[in-house]
């Protein structure tokens, strides 16, 4: 073990796991294609201002959780805590408003939040993030929710719960804030210290508090529906009608306000009972004023991000399939120095012909090399020694059945291809 370990809250995804991650990304990529979303690659760090203005100064993410530093040019830089603000920045910077709307994009990569690590919560975690930019239509919201659920269905996740809410818009939110603020003021003694400080600055955040004492207060808090303006109410009704029309079960949750300030109208989360307290596998919603908040024109948008680390945890727990574990076709076993050169050449031929192959270079015993072949889950071992070299042959051993035969080195590629296709059938 090295003296230096990975920092708290971050981890390595090793080969035993990484192929499962690749499977999850593959499913999201295919789902993205089926819904007409194009992949983009965005920077991992941005100007701090983007997140401060986009996500909101009074959110936990901006107040406490950002990895912010001055670069050598004295610019304040932040490792992205999420991708939505970057996606909108990119849309504006590349003038995508001139394209047919909505512009539908997705990205994946690590996000960074200085949170207290616990089960399902890391300081570096992966998201897949989908954004539909340029359409105010409630069906864009329905599409986003459907896309997330379709990806989860394809991954085999079960027992998910969809929560939805509307958080209104700048038109109707002040009235709701006032109603909430009056209500919470009347029960201020029951609130935790953090929530008391939230009362002035952002009473909606109190609805998000996970403390038992605050939750019993928020349970009776006035619901947003009664305060929604006509436009927000109609929008929400159409989102719900769209979900009903596609047979998507969901639960209305008046306390769902999400942890980021840019949301307007629809907010939603997908929860899994398999996760404990960090139970959201995905969250998202509409953010019609985010583009303006970061200095652009009005661009309505809706999207979601799903936590890949958490999806993997749920899939493991629910014993979902990850497709086939990667294995190699052939492991080359060389019994002496000359054979090692011969095997290197044969492996090269295999790889050029689409046969995956591996070997070790250590000059270890045959037994040790055969052990490596099984550890690599090879289908066949191709063994080369002095006698094979003399006869111009290679011994091919089926590692499942144990059967072996000698094949002429001249036709080794064709013969191995035949054996492998027979095995695959
Ligand atoms: P979020 O709810 O902050 O939303 O994060 C989305 C998902 O990322 C969560 O549901 C969870 O699965 C995962 N996640 C968040 N924090 C952590 C963590 N510390 N460790 C592991 N997983 C985590 C957003 O980020 C918004 N940008 C979503 C969005 C896109 N809204 C509109 N478009």
């Amino acid at each position: 073990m090295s003296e230096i370990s990975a920092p708290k809250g971050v981890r390595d995804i090793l080969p035993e796991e990484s192929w499962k991650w690749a499977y999850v990304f593959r499913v999201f990529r295919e789902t993205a294609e089926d819904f007409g979303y194009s992949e983009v690659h965005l920077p991992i760090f941005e100007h701090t201002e983007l997140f401060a203005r986009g996500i909101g100064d009074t959110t936990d993410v901006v107040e406490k959780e950002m990895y912010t530093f001055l670069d050598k040019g004295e610019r304040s830089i932040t490792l992205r805590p999420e991708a939505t603000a970057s996606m909108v920045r990119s849309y504006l910077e590349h003038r995508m408003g001139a394209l047919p709307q909505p512009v539908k994009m997705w990205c994946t990569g690590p996000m960074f939040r200085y949170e207290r690590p616990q089960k399902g919560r890391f300081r570096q975690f992966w998201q897949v993030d989908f954004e539909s930019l340029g359409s105010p239509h409630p069906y864009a919201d329905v599409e986003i929710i459907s896309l997330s659920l379709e990806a989860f269905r394809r991954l085999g996740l079960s027992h998910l719960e969809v929560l939805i809410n509307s958080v209104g818009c700048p038109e109707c939110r002040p009235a709701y804030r006032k109603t909430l603020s009056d209500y919470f003021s009347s029960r201020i003694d029951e609130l935790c210290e953090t929530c008391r400080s939230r009362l002035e600055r952002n009473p909606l955040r109190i609805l998000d508090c996970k403390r038992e004492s605050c939750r019993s207060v928020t349970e009776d808090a006035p619901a947003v529906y009664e305060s929604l303006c006509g436009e927000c109410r109609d929008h929400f009704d159409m989102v719900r009608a769209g979900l009903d029309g596609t047979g998507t079960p969901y639960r209305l949750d008046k306390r769902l306000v999400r942890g980021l300030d840019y949301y307007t109208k629809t907010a939603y989360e997908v929860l899994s009972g398999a996760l404990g307290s960090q139970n959201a596998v995905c969250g998202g919603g509409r953010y019609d004023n985010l583009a303006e908040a970061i200095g652009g024109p009005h661009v309505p948008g809706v999207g979601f991000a799903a936590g890949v680390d958490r999806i993997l945890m749920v899939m493991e727990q629910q014993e979902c399939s990850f497709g086939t574990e990667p294995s190699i076709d052939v492991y080359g076993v060389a019994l002496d120095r000359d054979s090692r050169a011969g095997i290197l050449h044969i492996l090269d031929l295999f790889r050029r012909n689409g046969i995956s192959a591996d070997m070790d270079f250590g000059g270890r015993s045959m037994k040790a090399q055969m052990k490596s072949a099984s550890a690599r889950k090879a289908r066949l071992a191709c063994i080369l020694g002095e006698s094979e070299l003399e006869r111009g042959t290679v011994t091919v051993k089926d590692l499942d059945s144990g059967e072996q035969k000698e094949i002429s080195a001249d036709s080794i590629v064709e013969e191995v291809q035949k054996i492998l296709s027979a095995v695959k059938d």
Side-chain angles (χ1 to χ4, degrees):
M1 194 164 144
S2 130
E3 277 176 21
I4 305 171
S5 55
K8 190 173 166 187
V10 311
R11 64 206 177 114
D12 306 313
I13 307 300
L14 299 176
E16 306 85 89
E17 239 196 312
S18 64
W19 67 275
K20 300 178 178 177
W21 282 63
Y23 175 76
V24 172
F25 292 131
R26 203 155 60 237
V27 169
F28 272 103
R29 180 163 287 114
E30 282 165 13
T31 314
E33 280 166 14
D34 292 345
F35 280 75
Y37 282 70
S38 310
E39 187 170 11
V40 288
H41 301 290
L42 301 177
I44 278 177
F45 60 83
E46 299 266 7
H47 291 296
T48 302
E49 200 188 349
L50 174 71
F51 303 116
R53 283 166 64 177
I55 297 173
D57 282 336
T58 58
T59 56
D60 280 355
V61 171
V62 171
E63 268 188 344
K64 305 181 202 154
E65 296 169 3
M66 295 205 305
Y67 281 90
T68 298
F69 57 95
L70 285 184
D71 72 5
K72 292 192 196 304
E74 302 282 301
R75 285 169 289 256
S76 180
I77 294 294
T78 294
L79 300 186
R80 63 178 177 195
E82 59 110 51
T84 312
S86 301
M87 198 80 101
V88 175
R89 195 249 329 123
S90 179
Y91 173 100
L92 297 173
E93 192 167 332
H94 301 287
R95 302 182 198 289
M96 294 188 209
L99 302 173
Q101 307 293 299
V103 174
K104 304 201 293 187
M105 299 185 286
W106 76 285
C107 70
T108 184
M111 309 290 152
F112 306 86
R113 294 184 193 175
Y114 191 80
E115 293 189 270
R116 196 169 46 79
Q118 62 180 88
K119 185 184 169 199
R121 190 158 78 187
F122 306 95
R123 290 184 172 169
Q124 174 178 322
F125 58 96
W126 282 69
Q127 283 187 345
V128 283
D129 181 274
F130 286 74
E131 311 293 350
S132 171
L133 291 156
S135 170
H137 202 284
Y139 286 176
D141 308 40
V142 175
E143 182 183 80
I144 272 290
I145 298 171
S146 304
L147 195 168
S148 58
L149 297 177
E150 176 58 14
F152 295 147
R153 189 192 66 75
R154 292 181 188 191
L155 289 167
L157 266 59
S158 57
H159 299 94
L160 297 176
E161 187 177 29
V162 182
L163 305 183
I164 71 164
N165 194 18
S166 172
V167 293
C169 69
E171 196 63 27
C172 50
R173 202 170 305 144
Y176 182 52
R177 268 176 79 123
K178 172 84 176 61
T179 314
L180 267 188
S181 176
D182 291 346
Y183 169 77
F184 287 129
S185 300
S186 72
R187 298 185 63 174
I188 192 163
D189 296 343
E190 297 163 70
L191 296 176
C192 72
E193 213 165 293
T194 319
C195 284
R196 282 185 208 172
S197 75
R198 285 169 171 158
L199 191 51
E200 277 294 300
R201 296 186 304 149
N202 194 348
L204 263 83
R205 283 268 82 77
I206 301 175
L207 293 170
D208 217 16
C209 186
K210 300 283 180 282
R211 279 179 204 241
E212 237 357 275
S213 54
C214 297
R215 285 198 76 77
S216 63
V217 179
T218 54
E219 214 153 83
D220 303 325
V224 67
Y225 321 120
E226 286 95 66
S227 305
L228 291 180
C229 61
E231 192 191 313
C232 286
R233 189 180 292 262
D234 289 348
H235 196 275
F236 195 42
D237 287 346
M238 268 186 86
V239 171
R240 291 170 57 187
L243 291 174
D244 293 338
T246 54
T248 307
Y250 59 86
R251 182 159 68 80
L252 290 182
D253 182 357
K254 66 175 185 183
R255 287 188 289 192
L256 181 71
V257 287
R258 312 266 305 121
L260 312 156
D261 272 353
Y262 49 59
Y263 291 108
T264 50
K265 298 184 173 142
T266 314
Y268 90 104
E269 274 182 7
V270 181
L271 309 183
S272 165
L275 278 173
S277 69
Q278 300 304 312
N279 58 354
V281 281
C282 116
R286 177 162 282 285
Y287 47 85
D288 289 345
N289 302 318
L290 173 53
E292 281 159 287
I294 60 170
H298 180 75
V299 181
V302 60
F304 78 87
V308 181
D309 305 74
R310 291 188 192 173
I311 290 173
L312 265 292
M313 288 167 75
V314 178
M315 288 180 72
E316 290 285 6
Q317 196 163 324
Q318 296 184 339
E319 296 181 4
C320 299
S321 162
F322 293 99
T324 330
E325 190 172 352
S327 57
I328 52 161
D329 295 322
V330 176
Y331 198 86
V333 175
L335 303 187
D336 54 42
R337 207 181 136 143
D338 289 346
S339 315
R340 219 158 29 247
I343 275 290
L344 196 66
H345 171 65
I346 293 173
L347 257 51
D348 201 38
L349 286 180
F350 281 157
R351 290 162 179 159
R352 276 195 240 163
N353 285 282
I355 300 169
S356 57
D358 201 359
M359 68 181 285
D360 77 38
F361 312 110
R364 297 183 307 147
S365 70
M366 176 163 176
K367 196 169 159 204
Q369 293 182 62
M370 293 302 282
K371 228 168 140 182
S372 299
S374 337
R376 296 282 285 107
K377 299 194 169 60
R379 299 279 336 160
L380 305 174
C382 280
I383 305 160
L384 202 61
E386 208 178 330
S387 44
E388 281 90 353
L389 277 182
E390 259 169 31
R391 290 194 291 271
T393 60
V394 179
T395 300
V396 176
K397 180 170 181 171
D398 184 314
L399 293 174
D400 271 344
S401 66
E403 269 174 45
Q404 64 178 56
K405 59 179 169 181
E406 232 174 299
I407 291 173
S408 157
D410 294 338
S411 57
I412 187 72
V413 170
E414 297 75 23
E415 291 302 315
V416 163
Q417 264 165 344
K418 267 191 229 157
I419 299 173
L420 288 171
S421 60
V423 172
K424 274 171 195 150
D425 289 344

